[in-house]
């Protein structure tokens, strides 16, 4: 199952994923703390969506400065988990990025 | 043979004792320990078969270079409940009296009883099932829908793909022949195929480029080879109650041909391991183990598109034509041909948003069609200045594609790595740009990704595309005799990308922490790392360098003498540049699993792209001379 996520900041997104039990904080060998997805979860952090600009530099489609991510889970989420996720509507007809 | 735990006979010669007449065995002199080569794990990934003790996962589609040197999608199935068309939540019915599961009246293509039967209702309608596939669809790419079908009361079936446009093909189930096709809208990239699978079963397929997401695969009953149709182009007739066909093994996969069938139930499946080949020598390179990556270049092999949505590639100066030829993926299609006799020309991407001060690699396939030059270029669209200038001699890649004026060259993947300047947030990438001289060039398959080096090709359409990381694990290593007193890990590999950190790639862990691993660092660095008591690093990291992107061998060992633990490393037949270390700690953590690209403290983007030829583990610390012997001749 795929989810398109959008939050104000990367930190907000990480908080939501942790609250949903889909990511957790881990410390790497250099002592740096990172938020990484748990097993069965694939997370693609996108960030801001850039505008689409034509060859005359005219903006065809506006960008979105909020933080975006694509989420793929290999198991069924509970309603409580889904409620924690910053999903949004309407979904774009052609997303900026997809999992291939 | 891929499964070869090597408790095998030692390397010996046999001589006969002239007095007793009995053969006696004499060991060859060797630096390698007795008992075969002494290893308890020996994985050979060049055979194209995954050792059954390994579990492989990847959560997205991916491509590789096959044994013919062609770009190929790994087998995948985006269609859930592939063998059970009675799942009405997935396969929506229209004017069917029912769908029987596990029918006993016929065996399925595997000899079992898992086939379904679609049965018609007695109505004047289209009689069909369809599903909705919205994930892993990149608008503009080709998708192929295939189904195993066998006649029952009806001997015709239609496969139908719907996106914005629609494509229908009717097949005769006695002969497998196409009897008619139908299109509505303006579908592109259409194709069909049929193959006899024995027992009356046919594997039928249709292909179409997606114009939107979702894509809707349909299986339609038909009472005729040339049926009447509804507005959607589907067979439309008065059905006879319960007349139908048998179905099994539905699959929707990316690409323009049906891939090896992958059975699904509740979820799409992508996790087919990829065994990569050298496109020039066609020699096996081993198992592809890659970190996640994103192709930021949209419409990566759709250079001829007529869309004007801002994602299209832009030509100026050059004559932008097409040439029908065999493409790098083995299909016949129109390659983008760029040509100019003299003067200036450019062919570039739409605007691509990037991060400043970041390394990127731009890659694409090119073939000379008689030009005297071929030059790439990267442009800082933020500042209006060159990042990789096309006038540089190093930007002219014509020598890589057969040389000047060559008209019979083969496709070659060209790549250039660059770092964005401070303040740069958008760029253009140019497969070709020139201001004088002759250009006549074919191009295909552009990719822009972060990092140094080109990973496997990620086809894109109107959206940028992301490939997830490969993970390969062995969860039961009891038979390997992993112990605290000594062990040596060996790997033979080549890497396609180089990342700037030391993410774990090949090694042993205890579920929470690494015990011992080989890890790839910045540039050509490769290191080894050990932990004891969970998180305590054991001594200094060992490491050294090898030639970037070249085949390499590395081995790393640990030993515990009751007081101190020593570690050492060898790369390509010589001791690593850092010296062996020892610490007053009691051995490494006892590992419980083996893994490639599984590191609980690194993001999937951190892993490099590796082609792993072989891996071995010896439950003893080999000497430096022994490690140098096994890592020689990479």
């Amino acid at each position: 199952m795929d989810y398109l996520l959008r939050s104000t900041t990367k930190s907000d997104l990480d908080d939501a994923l942790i609250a949903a039990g889909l990511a957790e904080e881990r410390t790497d060998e250099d002592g740096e703390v990172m938020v990484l997805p748990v097993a069965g979860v694939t997370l693609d952090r996108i960030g801001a969506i850039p505008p689409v600009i034509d060859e005359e530099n005219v903006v065809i489609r506006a960008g979105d400065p909020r933080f975006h991510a694509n989420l793929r889970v290999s198991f069924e989420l509970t309603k409580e988990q889904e409620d924690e996720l910053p999903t949004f509507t309407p979904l774009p007809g052609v997303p900026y990025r997809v999992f291939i | 043979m891929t499964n070869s735990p090597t408790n095998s006979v030692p390397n010996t010669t046999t001589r006969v004792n002239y007095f007793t007449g009995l053969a006696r065995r004499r060991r060859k002199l060797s630096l390698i320990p007795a008992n075969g080569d002494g290893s308890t794990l020996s994985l050979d990934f060049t055979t194209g078969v995954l050792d059954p003790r390994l579990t492989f996962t990847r959560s997205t589609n991916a491509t590789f270079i096959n044994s013919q040197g062609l770009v190929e999608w790994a087998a995948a199935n985006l269609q859930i409940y592939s063998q059970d068309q009675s799942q009405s939540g997935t396969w929506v019915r229209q004017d069917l009296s029912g769908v029987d599961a596990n029918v006993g009246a016929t065996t399925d293509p595997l000899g079992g009883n898992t086939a379904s039967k679609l049965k018609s209702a007695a109505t004047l309608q289209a009689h069909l099932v369809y599903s909705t596939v919205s994930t892993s669809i990149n608008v503009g790419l080709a998708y192929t829908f295939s189904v195993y079908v066998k006649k029952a009361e009806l001997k015709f079936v239609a496969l139908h793909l719907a996106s914005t446009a629609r494509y229908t093909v009717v097949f005769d189930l006695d002969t497998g022949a196409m009897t008619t096709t139908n299109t509505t809208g303006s579908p592109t990239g259409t194709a069909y195929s049929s193959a006899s699978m024995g027992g009356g079963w046919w594997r039928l397929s249709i292909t179409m480029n997606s114009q939107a997401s979702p894509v809707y695969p349909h299986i339609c009953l038909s009472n005729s080879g040339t049926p009447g149709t509804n507005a959607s182009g589907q067979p439309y007739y008065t059905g006879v109650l319960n007349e139908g066909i048998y179905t099994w093994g539905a699959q929707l996969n990316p690409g323009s041909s049906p891939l090896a069938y992958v059975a699904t139930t509740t979820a799409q499946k992508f996790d087919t391991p990829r065994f990569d080949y050298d496109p020039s020598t066609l020699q096996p390179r081993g198992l592809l183990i890659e970190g996640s990556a994103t192709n930021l270049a949209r419409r990566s092999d759709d250079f001829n598109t007529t869309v004007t949505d801002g994602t299209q590639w832009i030509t100026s100066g050059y004559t932008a034509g097409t040439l029908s030829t065999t493409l790098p993926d083995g299909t016949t299609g129109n390659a983008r041909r760029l040509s100019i006799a003299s003067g200036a020309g450019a062919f570039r991407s739409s605007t691509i948003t990037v991060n400043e001060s970041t390394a990127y690699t731009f890659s694409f396939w090119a073939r000379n069609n008689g030009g005297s030059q071929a030059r790439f270029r990267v442009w800082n669209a933020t500042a209006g200045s060159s990042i990789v200038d096309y006038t540089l001699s190093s930007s002219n890649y014509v020598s890589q594609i057969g040389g000047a004026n060559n008209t019979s060259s083969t496709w070659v993947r060209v790549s250039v790595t660059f770092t964005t300047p401070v303040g740069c947030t958008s760029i253009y990438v140019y497969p070709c740009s020139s201001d004088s001289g002759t250009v006549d060039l074919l191009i295909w398959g552009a990719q822009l990704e972060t990092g140094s080096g080109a990973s496997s090709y990620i086809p894109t359409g109107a959206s940028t595309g992301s490939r997830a990381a490969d993970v390969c694990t062995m969860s039961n290593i009891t038979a390997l005799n992993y112990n605290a007193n000594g062990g040596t890990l060996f790997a033979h590999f080549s890497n396609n990308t180089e990342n700037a950190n030391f993410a774990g790639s090949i090694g042993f862990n205890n579920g929470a922490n690494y015990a011992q691993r080989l890890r790839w660092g910045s540039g050509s660095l490769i290191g080894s790392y050990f932990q004891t008591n969970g998180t305590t690093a054991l001594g200094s990291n060992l490491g050294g360098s090898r030639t970037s992107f070249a085949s390499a061998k590395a081995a790393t060992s640990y030993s515990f003498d009751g007081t101190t633990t020593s570690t050492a490393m060898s790369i390509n037949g010589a001791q690593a540049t850092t010296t062996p270390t020892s610490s007053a700690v009691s051995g490494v953590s006892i590992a419980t699993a083996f893994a490639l690209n599984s590191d609980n403290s690194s993001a999937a983007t951190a892993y490099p792209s590796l082609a792993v030829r072989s891996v071995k583990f010896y439950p003893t610390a080999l000497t430096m001379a022994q490690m140098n012997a096994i890592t020689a001749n990479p």
Side-chain angles (χ1 to χ4, degrees), chain B residues 73-305:
Chain B
W73 286 99
N77 195 348
L78 311 185
Q79 177 61 62
I80 63 174
Y81 288 113
S82 63
Q83 289 175 199
D84 187 1
Q85 280 71 54
S86 74
Q87 291 286 338
S88 58
T90 296
W91 293 98
V92 179
R93 304 168 190 177
Q94 286 187 3
D95 288 84
L96 297 181
S97 63
V99 178
D100 295 337
N102 302 323
V103 294
T106 187
T107 55
D108 62 41
L110 298 181
N113 67 342
T114 61
S116 298
K117 184 179 182 185
L118 312 188
K119 300 186 297 186
S120 176
T123 52
L124 174 60
Q125 277 295 349
H127 311 277
L128 56 87
V129 292
Y130 75 91
S131 70
T132 303
V133 182
S134 57
T135 54
S136 286
I137 300 294
N138 198 331
V139 173
L141 292 186
Y143 292 89
T144 295
F145 177 51
S146 57
V147 192
Y148 292 77
V149 187
K150 180 178 179 177
K151 76 172 185 179
E153 295 82 8
L154 296 174
K155 62 166 284 187
F156 297 99
V157 66
L159 299 191
H160 175 92
L161 266 179
S163 183
T164 303
R166 294 169 178 270
Y167 179 48
T168 310
V169 179
V170 181
F171 295 91
D172 182 326
L173 295 174
D174 278 332
T175 65
M178 177 275 293
T179 56
T180 189
T181 65
N182 188 292
T183 61
T184 60
S186 301
T188 57
T190 56
Y192 62 85
S193 72
S194 68
S196 175
M197 308 309 294
W201 287 96
W202 295 89
R203 191 180 192 200
L204 311 174
S205 78
I206 60 172
T207 299
M208 185 178 80
N209 293 339
S210 61
Q211 296 86 25
S213 177
V215 167
Y216 302 93
H218 292 61
I219 308 171
C220 311
L221 304 183
S222 181
N223 66 342
S224 165
T226 54
T229 57
N230 60 13
S232 298
Q234 299 155 343
Y236 181 88
Y237 63 97
T238 301
V240 176
L241 185 65
N242 293 336
E243 284 193 347
I245 57 170
Y246 301 112
T247 60
W248 185 84
Q251 179 160 297
L252 183 73
N253 62 249
S256 53
S257 61
L259 301 173
Y261 173 62
V262 177
T264 63
T265 54
T266 59
Q268 299 176 328
K269 283 188 73 70
F270 310 97
D271 41 14
T272 306
R274 297 172 293 163
F275 296 97
D276 208 44
Y277 288 79
D278 185 301
S280 300
T281 66
L282 305 184
Q283 293 301 303
R285 298 180 68 233
L287 178 68
L288 266 183
I289 289 289
E290 301 190 289
S292 62
T294 298
N295 186 355
L296 297 167
R298 287 182 278 205
R299 300 195 182 279
S300 62
D301 58 11
D302 185 16
F303 299 144
N304 305 322
T305 186

Side-chain angles (χ1 to χ4, degrees), chain B residues 28-53:
Chain B
K28 281 184 177 177
L29 293 175
S30 172
L31 291 170
I32 308 301
N35 193 24
D37 67 356
S39 63
T40 53
L41 175 68
S42 180
L43 301 170
D44 180 358
F45 293 113
T46 64
T47 61
V49 179
L50 195 70
D51 187 301
R53 294 171 296 177

Side-chain angles (χ1 to χ4, degrees), chain B residues 483-614:
Chain B
N483 65 88
N485 296 324
T488 303
L489 174 65
F490 163 86
H492 185 188
F493 64 94
S494 54
N495 60 314
N496 307 307
T497 67
E498 292 177 334
N499 292 0
N501 52 35
F502 277 102
S505 282
I506 298 178
F508 291 93
N509 63 71
N510 61 9
N513 297 285
Y514 264 83
Q516 174 187 26
R517 63 173 167 145
L518 290 167
R519 58 183 197 165
W520 280 256
S522 179
S524 61
L525 288 177
I526 180 170
S528 58
Y529 186 84
F530 305 85
Q531 284 181 328
T532 187
N533 301 326
T535 58
T536 303
L538 203 168
S540 302
N541 293 329
L542 303 176
S545 61
R546 86 289 183 204
T547 304
S548 292
F549 308 119
S551 174
K553 293 178 179 175
T556 185
S557 68
Y558 65 90
S559 63
F560 176 56
D561 64 4
T563 305
T564 61
T565 299
S566 301
T567 59
M569 184 173 184
S570 168
I571 303 172
N572 291 347
Q575 179 180 310
T577 50
T578 52
T579 56
T581 63
S582 60
S583 299
V585 293
S586 55
V588 299
S589 304
I590 297 301
T592 56
F594 167 77
L596 295 91
N597 259 9
S598 179
D599 180 350
N600 56 16
S601 65
S602 290
T605 50
Y607 301 129
S609 168
L610 299 175
V612 183
R613 293 178 61 86
S614 63

